[in-house]
């Protein structure tokens, strides 16, 4: 995971530019908060928090406390700077697969975290740490790379990112991609299989899990039209995942 420290330290403020201009971003946000549900009076651990967008949103929506964690110190600096006036919000720099116990939480959120697991064992390490961070009955709300995506059907450029290449690895694919910005912002991720995910979830001790199809807001269907979203709906590169302790 150390390679990601350099990558995201280097991206810094470009990351916000990259995601804010992608049409898939509103789908991601809409789906995430649908899965998350009511956060009023909840304690939330926000993993791969980046510059703190979701952490701040959850405080605004009534969470008692949010603890953000990211592997990139530069991302955490941005998050702290953008959250100076936000109460009950703190940030830490950790690799989730190796992070110490930070407390017990009602919810753990992980938007674009699990896709950085390069093997089933790394994924299990992440999920075990998440499971150990949850109170009984607590939930993990994740958004990750869709195991069912097939690059041979279509790419994802019109929605905000281009997958440049993918190489088979045990249990999935190792992928190089770039955000559609000027200049493009490169990154690397892993698309592990559905079987690997589900086996890792069970190994980590979760009692129940559910895959969630990304939900395109009606205003975006109206704005861009059904034809624009055709490839997104038939070969989506992202998916929601809810796991319960």
């Amino acid at each position: 995971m150390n390679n990601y420290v350099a990558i995201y330290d280097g991206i810094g403020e470009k990351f916000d530019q990259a995601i804010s201009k992608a049409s898939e971003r509103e789908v991601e946000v809409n789906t995430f908060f649908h899965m998350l549900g009511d956060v009023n009076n909840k304690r939330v651990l926000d993993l791969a928090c980046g510059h703190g967008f979701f952490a701040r949103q959850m405080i605004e929506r009534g969470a008692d406390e949010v603890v953000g964690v990211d592997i990139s110190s530069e991302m955490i600096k941005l998050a702290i700077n953008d959250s100076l006036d936000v109460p009950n919000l703190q940030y830490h720099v950790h690799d989730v697969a190796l992070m110490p116990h930070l407390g017990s939480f009602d919810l753990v959120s992980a938007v674009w975290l699990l896709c950085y697991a390069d093997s089933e064992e790394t994924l299990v390490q992440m999920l075990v740490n998440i499971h150990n961070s949850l109170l009984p009955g607590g939930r993990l709300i994740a958004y990750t790379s869709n195991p069912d995506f097939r690059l041979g059907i279509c790419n994802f450029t019109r929605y905000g990112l281009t997958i440049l290449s993918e190489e088979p690895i045990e249990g999935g694919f190792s992928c190089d991609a770039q955000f559609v910005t000027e200049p493009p912002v490169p990154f690397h991720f892993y698309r592990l299989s559905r079987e690997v995910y589900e086996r890792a979830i069970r190994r980590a001790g979760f009692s129940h899990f559910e895959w969630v199809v990304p939900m395109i807001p009606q205003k975006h269907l109206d704005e861009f039209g059904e034809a624009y979203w055709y490839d997104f709906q038939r070969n989506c590169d992202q998916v929601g995942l809810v796991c319960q302790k």
Side-chain angles (χ1 to χ4, degrees), residues 45 101-108 126-142 200-210 241-245:
L45 179 61
H101 186 67
L102 297 175
S104 297
F105 299 86
D106 302 288
L107 297 163
V108 174
M126 288 181 175
L127 290 170
V128 165
N129 282 341
I130 291 169
H131 186 272
N132 290 342
S133 298
L134 284 166
L135 291 165
R139 294 181 300 136
L140 162 65
I141 310 301
I201 290 166
R202 295 188 184 97
R203 287 177 62 190
F206 286 96
S207 64
H208 174 76
F209 64 88
E210 176 186 4
L241 180 61
V242 179
C243 304
Q244 185 166 355
K245 182 171 181 177

Side-chain angles (χ1 to χ4, degrees), residues 214-233:
M215 305 165 63
I216 304 169
Q218 185 60 48
K219 66 178 182 178
H220 278 65
L221 285 171
D222 296 339
E223 178 182 355
F224 293 98
E226 292 279 353
Y228 176 88
W229 293 106
Y230 176 70
D231 284 340
F232 189 99
Q233 292 176 310

Side-chain angles (χ1 to χ4, degrees), residues 82-101:
D82 289 345
S83 307
L84 294 176
D85 298 325
V86 182
N88 305 319
L89 176 55
Q90 58 178 287
Y91 295 104
H92 301 274
V93 178
H94 290 299
D95 178 341
V96 172
L98 303 173
M99 72 178 180
H101 186 67

Side-chain angles (χ1 to χ4, degrees), residues 13-26:
E13 294 179 352
K14 295 178 184 178
F15 181 76
D16 189 41
Q17 174 197 356
I19 61 175
S20 64
K21 293 185 177 181
S23 59
E24 62 85 18
R25 175 62 167 174
E26 288 298 323

Side-chain angles (χ1 to χ4, degrees), residues 1 3 23 39 43 59 70 85 95 100-101 115 119 148 150 154-155 162 172 181 197-198 228 240:
M1 297 290 284
N3 290 338
S23 59
V39 296
R43 294 189 75 232
I59 289 291
D70 201 276
D85 298 325
D95 178 341
H101 186 67
C115 56
S119 67
D148 298 330
R150 294 294 176 265
C154 64
N155 214 309
T162 300
T181 55
Y197 265 98
E198 295 183 358
Y228 176 88

Side-chain angles (χ1 to χ4, degrees), residues 20-41:
S20 64
K21 293 185 177 181
S23 59
E24 62 85 18
R25 175 62 167 174
E26 288 298 323
V27 182
E28 170 190 311
V29 172
N30 184 55
T31 308
F32 172 77
F33 282 112
H34 172 80
M35 295 188 295
L36 187 70
D38 182 18
V39 296
N40 197 45
N41 301 320

